[in-house]
Amino acid sequence: MSFAEAESDLYSQSCFEGPWARVQGGLGWAILALTGAVVLVQGGNQPVAWTMMAALVLLLGAAQLALHLVRNPARALRIALPLAVIYSCVVSWAVLQAVWPAPPELAHPAWAAAPEGAVPRISADPGQGVHIALRLATYGLIAWIMAAASLSNDRAWAYLRAIGIFSGAYASYGIAAGLSGTNPLLGLDAGGQTHITASFVNRNHFATYAGFGMLVNVALYLHTTQPSDETKGLNALRNGLETFFSGAWIHALNALLCGAAVSLSLSRAGGVAAVVGLAVLLGAQRWRGAGGAIACGVVVALLFGVGAFSLGTGTFNRILAGGESSAFRFVVYATLIDLIPQRPWLGQGLGAFEDTFRAHVPLEVSRLEWGNAHSSYLGNAYEMGLPAAAAFYFVLCMVGARLLTGLFVRRTDRTAPALALSVLTLAAAHATVDFSLEIPGVAALFAVLVGLGWAQSFTRSDRASRAPIEQANRN
């Protein structure tokens, strides 16, 4: 081993071991506990739930900042800084919309009808704007803390195993509650629901969450059964079967449960998005050896089984039938496209969709209450304004590009960045016709998986902190 290689290995060990590394790992576990707990309270879509989550995440964020001050961040985190700055600017703009006393020419027109003495703002609903800005800041902190905590391979996969077990148990609860008609988390007893939602009020939000769980468990299965380069032929087959029956089966079972939950939710867009995400995860893998072929075959069988199961539920019928609600959404989309140019730079104010869109609801859909745009892309452009929305999605696109890069720069263990890329794809696909990522429980898990994937998209040397070795050299 050369001196450079030995020094690089020392850097890596100093990053992934020691008391500061254990503190960092504890912050990651605390984030996982919070994101798991908040989803049990109606998906976190209750003020008390997401406010408590935000307060605790802010405390963890302060601890993370203190940790960075005593421990030089790894290059993987320093590369993320420009994107973090852009994201912070978007959140700051949302706050500015809500709190800045705007001159009349910039204030929202709704303030013209306000009582005398009211201070105009850019946003038509400043209260909602501040709340949602706090939630966006919380998701950003979750992603950052998880990226810092997931620099270690072993720790990252430990986090994913915990998510996989929780998502499988959660899907089981949703299925059991749907079949029995008794759902304590939603306060339902022998209700007449024809679809399952677990602790979510809306089936589309549950479908997105269960889809994330399915992808995590498929990734865990692929990671567990991945053969070594030296193992080929019948030996790879034997080792693959031994691995399956010695523990990998639990990931396959959890993936099947989560996939069944997606189907039983009867969410058309959620089902299609889950299939798209699974296709990306499989496509991102580079299969080598018989063991890899077996793993791929099991996952394809899983996809076939979930698809066949969907044929026996209402999901497939709802996809074929389309429905009045789908047609209504496209009417709203067309109206939004006409309205966005009215305030393209300033927007209506984050969270102000319901109040500002009510006066513009087309006659043919006016019998329904439209509290959301049912398209996160159009909704954010309408509320934030085009520059802020473009910056917001630029950050997500750059994250996706980094995850894609990770598939090529990592010589081994590419499954984690592939998983994060598939999660990003699932969320992006579903966001075209719904707003699942605006629900705290879903958005928090999304931030966890994307942050973890970002960290794991770098090589070992880029994930290692140089602070301890530099300190040793100075001494």
Side-chain angles (χ1 to χ4, degrees):
M1 178 184 294
S2 68
F3 174 77
E5 290 173 336
E7 185 181 44
S8 176
D9 186 63
L10 183 56
Y11 289 152
S12 299
Q13 293 302 318
S14 67
C15 175
F16 304 133
E17 298 175 3
W20 293 123
R22 287 192 288 273
V23 171
Q24 183 67 81
L27 292 179
W29 286 113
I31 288 292
L32 285 188
L34 276 177
T35 56
V38 75
V39 78
L40 301 178
V41 188
Q42 295 191 15
N45 201 32
Q46 292 294 316
V48 64
W50 64 257
T51 302
M52 287 295 296
M53 179 183 72
L56 293 173
V57 170
L58 287 175
L59 289 176
L60 294 174
Q64 182 67 60
L65 176 61
L67 194 58
H68 284 327
L69 293 177
V70 300
R71 191 166 180 261
N72 189 32
R75 183 171 180 270
L77 297 180
R78 297 198 297 272
I79 289 175
L81 274 175
L83 296 182
V85 170
I86 297 174
Y87 185 85
S88 298
C89 289
V90 173
V91 177
S92 299
W93 167 248
V95 174
L96 188 68
Q97 285 179 312
V99 304
W100 181 52
E105 62 271 17
L106 298 180
H108 194 279
W111 287 97
E116 185 177 353
V119 181
R121 304 285 195 271
I122 293 175
S123 173
D125 192 346
Q128 283 294 324
V130 171
H131 292 168
I132 297 178
L134 175 60
R135 279 154 57 170
L136 288 178
T138 301
Y139 306 147
L141 275 174
I142 288 174
W144 185 273
I145 294 171
M146 284 306 301
S150 302
L151 295 169
S152 163
N153 265 1
D154 292 341
R155 195 185 301 134
W157 284 106
Y159 292 150
L160 287 175
R161 282 191 291 273
I163 295 171
I165 292 171
F166 178 82
S167 60
Y170 183 70
S172 299
Y173 169 81
I175 294 172
L179 294 176
S180 67
T182 301
N183 190 336
L185 292 178
L186 284 181
L188 300 178
D189 187 8
Q193 280 188 309
T194 58
H195 55 272
I196 69 172
T197 62
S199 60
F200 288 89
V201 175
N202 185 286
R203 60 181 161 207
N204 295 301
H205 308 155
F206 172 68
T208 301
Y209 193 90
F212 290 166
M214 181 183 72
L215 294 177
V216 168
N217 279 290
V218 170
L220 285 165
Y221 176 80
L222 296 175
H223 175 74
T224 304
T225 58
Q226 185 176 5
S228 64
D229 293 337
E230 295 80 13
T231 307
K232 299 182 183 299
L234 292 178
N235 287 334
L237 175 61
R238 182 196 62 200
N239 292 344
L241 291 174
E242 288 178 352
T243 302
F244 179 84
F245 289 109
S246 64
W249 64 270
I250 189 64
H251 304 313
L253 175 61
N254 284 333
L256 185 61
L257 287 169
C258 291
V262 172
S263 292
L264 288 171
S265 72
L266 303 189
S267 171
R268 292 166 295 188
V272 172
V275 171
V276 171
L278 185 55
V280 169
L281 177 58
L282 293 178
Q285 295 296 309
R286 297 181 179 180
W287 305 104
R288 291 180 297 182
I294 292 172
C296 184
V298 171
V299 175
V300 171
L302 167 69
L303 179 60
F304 176 81
V306 171
F309 181 76
S310 297
L311 291 175
T313 69
T315 305
F316 190 73
N317 293 333
R318 292 187 76 237
I319 293 175
L320 293 179
E324 187 180 48
S325 62
S326 299
F328 284 174
R329 292 186 189 189
F330 288 99
V331 173
V332 170
Y333 298 161
T335 304
L336 281 173
I337 292 172
D338 292 335
L339 290 175
I340 289 172
Q342 293 184 7
R343 286 176 66 84
W345 309 112
L346 301 175
Q348 308 287 333
L350 200 61
F353 178 87
E354 184 172 11
D355 290 336
T356 58
F357 188 69
R358 185 176 287 115
H360 303 282
V361 175
L363 181 62
E364 57 267 43
V365 299
S366 58
R367 65 183 177 85
L368 301 176
E369 184 68 23
W370 294 91
N372 298 86
H374 288 273
S375 170
S376 293
Y377 303 106
L378 289 175
N380 284 330
Y382 178 78
E383 293 182 349
M384 293 181 178
L386 293 176
F392 180 75
Y393 287 111
F394 171 78
V395 171
L396 292 177
C397 287
M398 290 300 99
V399 170
R402 176 66 244 180
L403 296 175
L404 187 60
T405 302
L407 299 178
F408 298 95
V409 301
R410 290 290 302 266
R411 290 191 296 271
T412 59
D413 204 1
R414 304 180 182 92
T415 308
L419 166 63
L421 184 63
S422 68
V423 165
L424 186 63
T425 303
L426 186 159
H430 203 177
T432 58
V433 292
D434 224 303
F435 55 98
S436 293
L437 285 182
E438 298 173 36
I439 305 303
V442 178
L445 180 58
F446 174 79
V448 164
L449 295 174
V450 169
L452 185 150
W454 175 278
Q456 286 295 305
S457 68
F458 289 85
T459 60
R460 184 179 177 87
S461 60
D462 284 340
R463 288 182 279 119
S465 171
R466 298 186 172 227
I469 186 67
E470 289 171 352
Q471 183 66 36
N473 289 337
R474 284 196 295 269
N475 293 338

